Amino acid sequence: MAEGAVRERYGLSSSDTFEGKFSKVSIEGLLFYVVAFGIWVLENLMDTHKAEVETMLAERLPHTTLWYRNLVLGFVPDTEDEAPVKYCSVDDRGSRLKIKIAGGGAGARQPVTAEAQAAEEAYLAQEKDAGLKITVINEQSDRMAAKLRVWYDPIKLVPSSKAVEAALKGYVSSLDFDGLMSRNGLVDALREVEGVEMVKIEQLKTKYAGNPWTDFGEQQRAESGYWTVADADVTVVYERYRKENL
């Protein structure tokens, strides 16, 4: 309808609509639709192709953080049948790279063995740029502890089902490796539980390795690259939702 030649040929005004000028069974209308849809598909294919080419070029560009990440993920020691590192992030700190690694699977991430880490570090020492220092972080998960107050609809949610506790663990385990976690993101995830009306985080703490518990800020990354939440570290106080809670 915005094409000048079409508007001139059919005598269209700026206020005319396609549905108002062409019947659903109009041959011309169907032809317009088929051609427009074909053009749309072609444009999307070209956009997809462009994105794929850009990704391939970025991955092949040597000595970038992405290149080092792929190097780590693709390395298979002689003593292994497959790459031991399943998760990796690379943080460029000027003359030093901070590389976090982990094995295992989604929701069950864990450190790789000491032998696999040693092999990985020896391989990186051969492949890295001269003078570049690398620190490899291969640790047990950071722990997280939470105290929550949840207002719920008793028709839709039974507290004994521990659906909120399960949603908390699910959210934490589904985060991207070394991804940024936020308080707002956690609240949004918990409010997705059917029957949950309001959520208040009364306390949120995190603990890395042998360090003491510290308060979680508005958002942060796990020092190890990932978190786990133990049952004993979660307290949820359920309150029946009433409008006066607002």
Side-chain angles (χ1 to χ4, degrees):
M1 299 301 286
E3 175 60 45
V6 175
R7 291 175 62 178
E8 180 181 354
R9 172 66 178 80
Y10 288 92
L12 303 176
S13 67
S14 59
S15 61
D16 288 333
T17 63
F18 187 81
E19 292 78 10
K21 284 297 181 178
F22 294 93
S23 166
K24 290 184 178 180
V25 295
S26 165
I27 297 298
E28 287 175 301
L30 291 174
L31 287 173
F32 275 126
Y33 175 80
V34 169
V35 172
F37 183 75
I39 292 172
W40 177 82
V41 169
L42 179 61
E43 289 177 344
N44 277 271
L45 287 174
M46 295 302 295
D47 289 342
T48 301
H49 176 66
K50 179 183 177 183
E52 290 175 344
V53 171
E54 289 176 345
T55 300
M56 290 173 60
L57 290 174
E59 290 180 346
R60 292 183 179 183
L61 191 64
H63 307 290
T64 61
T65 54
L66 181 57
W67 182 82
Y68 277 104
R69 178 177 178 273
N70 289 336
L71 205 66
V72 172
L73 292 173
F75 173 64
V76 181
D78 294 339
T79 56
E80 302 279 349
D81 295 326
E82 60 180 23
V85 177
K86 306 301 182 184
Y87 302 93
C88 176
S89 71
V90 180
D91 182 16
D92 184 357
R93 300 196 171 190
S95 61
R96 179 179 294 276
L97 292 181
K98 184 178 181 180
I99 300 179
K100 299 180 183 179
I101 61 174
R109 294 165 180 156
Q110 60 187 22
V112 302
T113 64
E115 293 79 8
Q117 179 181 347
E120 195 79 57
E121 289 175 337
Y123 177 64
L124 286 170
Q126 292 179 351
E127 300 296 325
K128 72 179 183 67
D129 293 318
L132 179 66
K133 298 185 181 300
I134 294 178
T135 299
V136 176
I137 306 297
N138 177 41
E139 297 287 347
Q140 293 286 346
S141 65
D142 291 29
R143 291 174 58 189
M144 179 168 289
K147 183 176 181 181
L148 310 169
R149 188 171 298 272
V150 172
W151 287 267
Y152 71 100
D153 181 345
I155 297 176
K156 299 179 181 179
L157 177 64
V158 178
S160 60
S161 68
K162 295 188 178 295
V164 172
E165 291 88 335
L168 169 62
K169 293 180 181 180
Y171 170 73
V172 171
S173 64
S174 67
L175 288 170
D176 291 339
F177 184 74
D178 204 26
L180 196 63
M181 177 179 165
S182 69
R183 286 175 174 263
N184 287 339
L186 175 58
V187 170
D188 289 344
L190 298 181
R191 292 190 63 185
E192 290 294 320
V193 177
E194 186 175 10
V196 171
E197 299 292 341
M198 297 194 304
V199 176
K200 179 182 179 182
I201 299 177
E202 296 192 335
Q203 190 178 71
L204 195 61
K205 290 182 175 292
T206 183
K207 176 181 174 67
Y208 172 60
N211 298 305
W213 288 97
T214 58
D215 289 328
F216 186 94
E218 286 303 315
Q219 59 181 17
Q220 67 184 70
R221 303 180 194 276
E223 293 296 327
S224 63
Y226 58 110
W227 278 284
T228 55
V229 184
D231 292 339
D233 294 331
V234 181
T235 301
V236 180
V237 177
Y238 288 90
E239 291 191 17
R240 186 173 177 176
Y241 174 74
R242 296 179 177 85
K243 287 187 178 180
E244 54 265 30
N245 293 141
L246 295 173

PDB file of all heavy atoms in Angstrom, residues 60-72:
ATOM      1  N   ARG A  60      36.869 -17.617  14.189  1.00  0.00           N
ATOM      2  CA  ARG A  60      38.154 -17.944  13.567  1.00  0.00           C
ATOM      3  C   ARG A  60      39.205 -16.854  13.770  1.00  0.00           C
ATOM      4  O   ARG A  60      40.378 -17.079  13.519  1.00  0.00           O
ATOM      5  CB  ARG A  60      37.947 -18.186  12.069  1.00  0.00           C
ATOM      6  CG  ARG A  60      37.131 -19.450  11.792  1.00  0.00           C
ATOM      7  CD  ARG A  60      37.002 -19.713  10.308  1.00  0.00           C
ATOM      8  NE  ARG A  60      36.237 -20.926  10.052  1.00  0.00           N
ATOM      9  CZ  ARG A  60      36.025 -21.421   8.832  1.00  0.00           C
ATOM     10  NH1 ARG A  60      36.503 -20.801   7.769  1.00  0.00           N
ATOM     11  NH2 ARG A  60      35.308 -22.522   8.680  1.00  0.00           N
ATOM     12  N   LEU A  61      38.754 -15.685  14.217  1.00  0.00           N
ATOM     13  CA  LEU A  61      39.715 -14.608  14.454  1.00  0.00           C
ATOM     14  C   LEU A  61      40.581 -14.992  15.640  1.00  0.00           C
ATOM     15  O   LEU A  61      40.079 -15.154  16.756  1.00  0.00           O
ATOM     16  CB  LEU A  61      38.974 -13.299  14.734  1.00  0.00           C
ATOM     17  CG  LEU A  61      39.818 -12.028  14.757  1.00  0.00           C
ATOM     18  CD1 LEU A  61      40.423 -11.772  13.378  1.00  0.00           C
ATOM     19  CD2 LEU A  61      38.975 -10.835  15.190  1.00  0.00           C
ATOM     20  N   PRO A  62      41.887 -15.186  15.433  1.00  0.00           N
ATOM     21  CA  PRO A  62      42.738 -15.734  16.509  1.00  0.00           C
ATOM     22  C   PRO A  62      42.988 -14.752  17.643  1.00  0.00           C
ATOM     23  O   PRO A  62      42.965 -13.542  17.473  1.00  0.00           O
ATOM     24  CB  PRO A  62      44.035 -16.078  15.777  1.00  0.00           C
ATOM     25  CG  PRO A  62      44.070 -15.140  14.618  1.00  0.00           C
ATOM     26  CD  PRO A  62      42.638 -14.961  14.200  1.00  0.00           C
ATOM     27  N   HIS A  63      43.203 -15.347  18.830  1.00  0.00           N
ATOM     28  CA  HIS A  63      43.663 -14.626  20.017  1.00  0.00           C
ATOM     29  C   HIS A  63      42.656 -13.609  20.565  1.00  0.00           C
ATOM     30  O   HIS A  63      43.031 -12.669  21.238  1.00  0.00           O
ATOM     31  CB  HIS A  63      45.016 -13.960  19.751  1.00  0.00           C
ATOM     32  CG  HIS A  63      46.032 -14.928  19.218  1.00  0.00           C
ATOM     33  ND1 HIS A  63      46.589 -15.925  19.987  1.00  0.00           N
ATOM     34  CD2 HIS A  63      46.547 -15.091  17.965  1.00  0.00           C
ATOM     35  CE1 HIS A  63      47.421 -16.645  19.257  1.00  0.00           C
ATOM     36  NE2 HIS A  63      47.414 -16.168  18.028  1.00  0.00           N
ATOM     37  N   THR A  64      41.381 -13.825  20.253  1.00  0.00           N
ATOM     38  CA  THR A  64      40.319 -13.067  20.916  1.00  0.00           C
ATOM     39  C   THR A  64      39.822 -13.905  22.098  1.00  0.00           C
ATOM     40  O   THR A  64      40.159 -15.084  22.234  1.00  0.00           O
ATOM     41  CB  THR A  64      39.155 -12.793  19.961  1.00  0.00           C
ATOM     42  OG1 THR A  64      38.594 -14.059  19.534  1.00  0.00           O
ATOM     43  CG2 THR A  64      39.627 -12.021  18.731  1.00  0.00           C
ATOM     44  N   THR A  65      38.993 -13.312  22.958  1.00  0.00           N
ATOM     45  CA  THR A  65      38.452 -14.080  24.083  1.00  0.00           C
ATOM     46  C   THR A  65      37.599 -15.241  23.588  1.00  0.00           C
ATOM     47  O   THR A  65      37.614 -16.322  24.184  1.00  0.00           O
ATOM     48  CB  THR A  65      37.611 -13.177  25.000  1.00  0.00           C
ATOM     49  OG1 THR A  65      36.602 -12.512  24.220  1.00  0.00           O
ATOM     50  CG2 THR A  65      38.489 -12.141  25.689  1.00  0.00           C
ATOM     51  N   LEU A  66      36.859 -15.049  22.495  1.00  0.00           N
ATOM     52  CA  LEU A  66      36.047 -16.133  21.935  1.00  0.00           C
ATOM     53  C   LEU A  66      36.942 -17.249  21.405  1.00  0.00           C
ATOM     54  O   LEU A  66      36.632 -18.440  21.547  1.00  0.00           O
ATOM     55  CB  LEU A  66      35.144 -15.592  20.820  1.00  0.00           C
ATOM     56  CG  LEU A  66      34.217 -16.605  20.145  1.00  0.00           C
ATOM     57  CD1 LEU A  66      33.304 -17.279  21.166  1.00  0.00           C
ATOM     58  CD2 LEU A  66      33.391 -15.923  19.050  1.00  0.00           C
ATOM     59  N   TRP A  67      38.055 -16.870  20.794  1.00  0.00           N
ATOM     60  CA  TRP A  67      38.992 -17.863  20.268  1.00  0.00           C
ATOM     61  C   TRP A  67      39.565 -18.702  21.408  1.00  0.00           C
ATOM     62  O   TRP A  67      39.653 -19.929  21.311  1.00  0.00           O
ATOM     63  CB  TRP A  67      40.112 -17.144  19.514  1.00  0.00           C
ATOM     64  CG  TRP A  67      41.131 -18.054  18.885  1.00  0.00           C
ATOM     65  CD1 TRP A  67      41.024 -18.715  17.690  1.00  0.00           C
ATOM     66  CD2 TRP A  67      42.425 -18.389  19.418  1.00  0.00           C
ATOM     67  NE1 TRP A  67      42.172 -19.441  17.450  1.00  0.00           N
ATOM     68  CE2 TRP A  67      43.046 -19.266  18.483  1.00  0.00           C
ATOM     69  CE3 TRP A  67      43.115 -18.039  20.570  1.00  0.00           C
ATOM     70  CZ2 TRP A  67      44.319 -19.777  18.689  1.00  0.00           C
ATOM     71  CZ3 TRP A  67      44.386 -18.556  20.773  1.00  0.00           C
ATOM     72  CH2 TRP A  67      44.972 -19.425  19.838  1.00  0.00           C
ATOM     73  N   TYR A  68      39.957 -18.059  22.500  1.00  0.00           N
ATOM     74  CA  TYR A  68      40.477 -18.800  23.658  1.00  0.00           C
ATOM     75  C   TYR A  68      39.402 -19.701  24.256  1.00  0.00           C
ATOM     76  O   TYR A  68      39.681 -20.834  24.678  1.00  0.00           O
ATOM     77  CB  TYR A  68      41.004 -17.825  24.719  1.00  0.00           C
ATOM     78  CG  TYR A  68      42.411 -17.353  24.455  1.00  0.00           C
ATOM     79  CD1 TYR A  68      42.657 -16.075  23.960  1.00  0.00           C
ATOM     80  CD2 TYR A  68      43.500 -18.191  24.697  1.00  0.00           C
ATOM     81  CE1 TYR A  68      43.947 -15.635  23.718  1.00  0.00           C
ATOM     82  CE2 TYR A  68      44.804 -17.753  24.451  1.00  0.00           C
ATOM     83  CZ  TYR A  68      45.020 -16.488  23.964  1.00  0.00           C
ATOM     84  OH  TYR A  68      46.303 -16.060  23.713  1.00  0.00           O
ATOM     85  N   ARG A  69      38.164 -19.216  24.306  1.00  0.00           N
ATOM     86  CA  ARG A  69      37.068 -20.032  24.852  1.00  0.00           C
ATOM     87  C   ARG A  69      36.884 -21.297  24.015  1.00  0.00           C
ATOM     88  O   ARG A  69      36.749 -22.401  24.551  1.00  0.00           O
ATOM     89  CB  ARG A  69      35.776 -19.213  24.891  1.00  0.00           C
ATOM     90  CG  ARG A  69      34.559 -19.988  25.389  1.00  0.00           C
ATOM     91  CD  ARG A  69      33.336 -19.086  25.460  1.00  0.00           C
ATOM     92  NE  ARG A  69      32.179 -19.828  25.886  1.00  0.00           N
ATOM     93  CZ  ARG A  69      31.366 -20.505  25.079  1.00  0.00           C
ATOM     94  NH1 ARG A  69      31.621 -20.528  23.768  1.00  0.00           N
ATOM     95  NH2 ARG A  69      30.319 -21.158  25.552  1.00  0.00           N
ATOM     96  N   ASN A  70      36.855 -21.136  22.706  1.00  0.00           N
ATOM     97  CA  ASN A  70      36.701 -22.299  21.827  1.00  0.00           C
ATOM     98  C   ASN A  70      37.908 -23.237  21.941  1.00  0.00           C
ATOM     99  O   ASN A  70      37.776 -24.457  21.801  1.00  0.00           O
ATOM    100  CB  ASN A  70      36.522 -21.850  20.377  1.00  0.00           C
ATOM    101  CG  ASN A  70      35.173 -21.195  20.133  1.00  0.00           C
ATOM    102  OD1 ASN A  70      34.221 -21.449  20.865  1.00  0.00           O
ATOM    103  ND2 ASN A  70      35.090 -20.354  19.118  1.00  0.00           N
ATOM    104  N   LEU A  71      39.087 -22.658  22.170  1.00  0.00           N
ATOM    105  CA  LEU A  71      40.303 -23.453  22.350  1.00  0.00           C
ATOM    106  C   LEU A  71      40.155 -24.379  23.560  1.00  0.00           C
ATOM    107  O   LEU A  71      40.467 -25.569  23.512  1.00  0.00           O
ATOM    108  CB  LEU A  71      41.494 -22.517  22.530  1.00  0.00           C
ATOM    109  CG  LEU A  71      42.892 -23.041  22.156  1.00  0.00           C
ATOM    110  CD1 LEU A  71      42.983 -23.293  20.653  1.00  0.00           C
ATOM    111  CD2 LEU A  71      43.943 -22.019  22.574  1.00  0.00           C
ATOM    112  N   VAL A  72      39.649 -23.799  24.657  1.00  0.00           N
ATOM    113  CA  VAL A  72      39.465 -24.575  25.890  1.00  0.00           C
ATOM    114  C   VAL A  72      38.405 -25.641  25.716  1.00  0.00           C
ATOM    115  O   VAL A  72      38.597 -26.809  26.091  1.00  0.00           O
ATOM    116  CB  VAL A  72      39.088 -23.633  27.058  1.00  0.00           C
ATOM    117  CG1 VAL A  72      38.698 -24.435  28.292  1.00  0.00           C
ATOM    118  CG2 VAL A  72      40.252 -22.694  27.393  1.00  0.00           C
TER     119      VAL A  72
END
